[in-house]
Amino acid sequence: MKSLFKLSPVYCFLFLLILFAGCAKEDSPEIEEPKPEEETFNYSSSAKYNLNIVYFLPTDVKERKESHRRLSEILLHGQAFYRKHMQEYGFGNKTYNMLVDEDQDRVKVIYLKAKYPTSNYPYEGGGAKIIEEVDAYFAANVGERNSDHTLILTPVLDCDNRDVPYYGMGRYCFAMDYNEMDVRFFGENSKRGNDASKYIGGLLHELGHGLNLPHNKEKVSEVHKSNKGTALMGGGNYTYGKSPTFLTRASCAILNNCQVISDFEDTFYTGASLQITSVLASYTNGELKISGTFDTNKDVNYVCFYNDPATDNADYDAVSWAAPVEGGNAFNISMPMSELHQKDNTPYVLRLRFCHSDGEISNISYSYSLENNEPIIEFGDKENFDRTNWQVIDFSSEENNELASYVLDGDADTFWHSRWSQDATSYPHHLTIDMDAMHDVSGFSFLQRDGMRKVKDIEIMVSTDNAQWESIGNFQLKEINTLHHVSLGNKTSFRYFKIIANSAFDGQQYAAMAEIMCF
């Protein structure tokens, strides 16, 4: 039988040549194109403690373009900014320490691949998830952790549409990275110039939180000064690199003791306790004057005073002062009320932040209000009556080891708590106290529990015989952890008084109180 077709000798040769070539290619190893050499850096620091910088890469987002150069330039720019203001206030040539290759102007950044896509690390709740993975990395790579302070950056495709953590959480802080976040665009009259100011300023603002800083606002007199302007820890995340921006003296006083700004080796953040032993407050010549003494187990070198309008739940508008400690345990400050932005009839919380040399900060709060631009002072030492023979003779309920009698024991760390472990009781709660003798009383002093369950609304009843009772009014206490006073206006004579608690600041059914006194 004849074949249907017949290949010519030439076609047979070509066919065999192609077949041989294919087999030869299949059997030979692939030749890879040479990869560009990776840059190498020699990082060093003269400091014992250095800021950890982590670039956190979710699985669905690649590293942004030139991130190492841009972030290095941003952090070196910020390092110079922090140093400038530390020097201006007399704290020395200090700034946050980093591992740096001085010859190539590069900062050590740890590029860490995440376990999940960006959607797993949203603004709300994503920070804790990222910290868990970062901590796991440091646990497996102990030598990579250089301090207790960590800046974490998450790349995004679009800075205008992002949902990643952007805040401080203790000594961790979060910011983002995108392709045009670059100091080279500072001052440029364009969207990318404005964004560079906002997001680089935002990075350094959040870094401030990671270095122990709270919010604060510039004083009225600082707004238009060429070397001041807007406080970084206030609205400075919108002005940095565009118009005058600065660190306040209070911020620098706190930074002075920060682990990664320290110029010495020591043990940091070991726990500090502090109690105010006396405090005096007065208003003269347009200035609110605060002085006092304290006891502490850790040295304090500065006290910072934050005047925060209590008209909202934020503290961006808190105007601050700072003063060195006198004689080891005394403080004294004069604060012109003209420097406050909110005046008229405004309630204020005054937060005292005691800066311990080991980096810890002890916080004590007081309250006052402005009326016709003058402070009405509701705190300070009073001549409280001796409570040696006082007794709690009746109470609505108490918890084991949180007894009603603790409101008279003189210990700020003990407190009465309504019953909660079983058969929990609800408002109203009450305590009845026998002062053992008649007193002419001008007012009451209350110390709330330093924690939850602070009492809000109360009624005070008084009696001369524990039989006939008279109400002397309804009052609202302060949601602060320091002694504050309720004035009766006129002196009232009685031996017994009953405090009826009607509500709590946290809206829960429980009540707690540390101390009750009269003056």
Side-chain angles (χ1 to χ4, degrees):
M1 184 174 180
K2 291 185 177 180
S3 173
L4 295 176
F5 65 89
K6 182 177 181 182
L7 291 174
S8 70
V10 173
Y11 284 114
C12 288
F13 174 76
L14 291 174
F15 174 77
L16 292 172
L17 184 64
I18 292 169
L19 181 64
F20 176 81
C23 293
K25 182 177 180 182
E26 203 172 280
D27 294 339
S28 64
E30 290 187 9
I31 300 174
E32 295 184 358
E33 294 184 9
K35 293 181 179 179
E37 290 186 11
E38 292 186 4
E39 291 183 283
T40 58
F41 299 97
N42 296 311
Y43 300 112
S44 63
S45 172
S46 60
K48 168 66 176 177
Y49 307 101
N50 296 282
L51 178 66
N52 307 306
I53 304 158
V54 176
Y55 199 98
F56 189 77
L57 281 158
T59 56
D60 61 333
V61 182
K62 294 181 179 179
E63 170 199 341
R64 299 293 87 204
K65 184 173 60 178
E66 292 190 273
S67 65
H68 193 199
R69 173 194 64 79
R70 291 184 296 96
L71 293 175
S72 293
E73 291 177 358
I74 287 168
L75 289 166
L76 290 169
H77 195 283
Q79 193 180 53
F81 171 84
Y82 273 65
R83 179 184 291 110
K84 172 188 173 185
H85 295 290
M86 292 293 285
Q87 289 176 322
E88 284 181 352
Y89 296 119
F91 292 106
N93 184 30
K94 292 183 175 182
T95 186
Y96 54 85
N97 304 314
M98 299 184 292
L99 288 163
V100 181
D101 184 322
E102 300 285 355
D103 293 331
Q104 301 186 69
D105 290 331
R106 291 292 180 270
V107 171
K108 181 175 181 181
V109 178
I110 298 169
Y111 285 82
L112 179 60
K113 291 183 179 179
K115 294 180 179 179
Y116 308 104
T118 305
S119 60
N120 197 65
Y121 311 101
Y123 181 91
E124 296 291 345
K129 294 179 180 180
I130 293 176
I131 288 173
E132 184 178 347
E133 292 187 38
V134 170
D135 282 351
Y137 171 82
F138 283 137
N141 301 271
V142 178
E144 293 287 272
R145 189 184 186 102
N146 290 285
S147 71
D148 294 329
H149 298 268
T150 303
L151 167 65
I152 303 172
L153 299 129
T154 304
V156 296
L157 296 173
D158 180 2
C159 65
D160 293 325
N161 294 286
R162 64 194 188 280
D163 185 20
V164 295
Y166 207 113
Y167 39 72
M169 284 183 68
R171 298 186 183 105
Y172 295 88
C173 55
F174 298 87
M176 67 177 182
D177 180 43
Y178 62 96
N179 282 338
E180 293 186 327
M181 194 170 78
D182 200 321
V183 295
R184 298 178 184 185
F185 301 140
F186 276 160
E188 188 176 282
N189 186 21
S190 63
K191 182 181 185 305
R192 72 178 183 180
N194 291 331
D195 284 348
S197 226
K198 178 165 59 174
Y199 295 119
I200 293 173
L203 184 157
L204 295 175
H205 174 108
E206 301 308 335
L207 176 57
H209 288 317
L211 301 179
N212 306 327
L213 296 184
H215 290 126
N216 67 177
K217 186 178 180 67
E218 63 280 353
K219 299 182 180 74
V220 167
S221 65
E222 294 171 330
V223 173
H224 300 296
K225 290 183 177 180
S226 60
N227 65 333
K228 300 291 184 182
T230 305
L232 177 68
M233 299 310 296
N237 50 317
Y238 291 95
T239 60
Y240 185 86
K242 182 166 59 176
S243 60
T245 307
F246 73 108
L247 288 167
T248 65
R249 181 185 293 273
S251 289
C252 288
I254 291 172
L255 290 171
N256 184 52
N257 297 322
C258 175
Q259 185 191 51
V260 296
I261 292 182
S262 66
D263 53 6
F264 56 91
E265 183 175 349
D266 203 348
T267 303
F268 287 81
Y269 313 125
T270 55
S273 62
L274 182 143
Q275 285 189 332
I276 298 288
T277 52
S278 68
V279 62
L280 298 173
S282 64
Y283 177 67
T284 55
N285 299 322
E287 296 184 339
L288 176 59
K289 299 179 184 292
I290 309 293
S291 62
T293 57
F294 58 88
D295 284 335
T296 182
N297 64 340
K298 298 284 182 182
D299 289 343
V300 172
N301 49 31
Y302 251 81
V303 184
C304 302
F305 305 81
Y306 288 72
N307 294 263
D308 183 17
T311 51
D312 54 37
N313 292 322
D315 55 357
Y316 292 93
D317 47 3
V319 178
S320 64
W321 279 261
V325 166
E326 301 172 351
N329 72 332
F331 57 91
N332 186 22
I333 195 74
S334 294
M335 299 176 286
M337 294 292 93
S338 60
E339 294 284 18
L340 302 182
H341 294 266
Q342 294 191 38
K343 300 183 177 71
D344 300 324
N345 300 318
T346 303
Y348 271 85
V349 175
L350 174 63
R351 298 188 177 92
L352 277 61
R353 291 187 161 96
F354 294 81
C355 304
H356 297 273
S357 57
D358 72 340
E360 292 277 10
I361 301 169
S362 291
N363 297 291
I364 304 291
S365 298
Y366 297 99
S367 66
Y368 68 92
S369 58
L370 289 182
E371 294 184 12
N372 299 318
N373 298 330
E374 295 189 0
I376 305 301
I377 301 167
E378 300 170 318
F379 65 92
D381 292 341
K382 297 285 188 181
E383 292 186 9
N384 296 107
F385 298 123
D386 179 11
R387 297 181 295 167
T388 301
N389 296 319
W390 290 23
Q391 296 182 64
V392 176
I393 58 173
D394 180 45
F395 53 85
S396 51
S397 73
E398 65 181 8
E399 181 59 33
N400 294 331
N401 301 318
E402 295 169 351
L403 308 179
S405 59
Y406 287 168
V407 300
L408 302 178
D409 69 353
D411 186 347
D413 293 328
T414 63
F415 53 88
W416 159 70
H417 199 300
S418 61
R419 190 170 62 247
W420 56 267
S421 61
Q422 57 182 358
D423 299 324
T425 55
S426 301
Y427 281 94
H429 305 281
H430 74 266
L431 298 169
T432 303
I433 294 173
D434 177 5
M435 297 190 293
D436 191 50
M438 292 288 290
H439 287 286
D440 294 329
V441 177
S442 299
F444 290 78
S445 300
F446 295 91
L447 179 63
Q448 299 266 32
R449 175 193 179 187
D450 187 9
M452 301 182 294
R453 314 313 182 206
K454 290 181 174 64
V455 174
K456 183 178 181 181
D457 295 298
I458 65 168
E459 181 182 9
I460 301 177
M461 307 282 289
V462 298
S463 174
T464 59
D465 58 6
N466 195 25
Q468 300 296 317
W469 290 88
E470 174 189 359
S471 174
I472 56 174
N474 294 289
F475 306 89
Q476 187 175 109
L477 302 183
K478 305 292 183 183
E479 193 179 7
I480 55 178
N481 64 334
T482 52
L483 202 67
H484 63 283
H485 313 301
V486 169
S487 177
L488 300 182
N490 298 309
K491 287 187 177 182
T492 305
S493 296
F494 53 87
R495 172 174 170 171
Y496 304 89
F497 66 88
K498 181 181 298 185
I499 305 297
I500 302 174
N502 290 311
S503 69
F505 280 99
D506 61 12
Q508 299 298 308
Q509 70 191 78
Y510 312 104
M513 185 66 64
E515 296 289 318
I516 302 174
M517 309 176 193
C518 292
F519 57 89

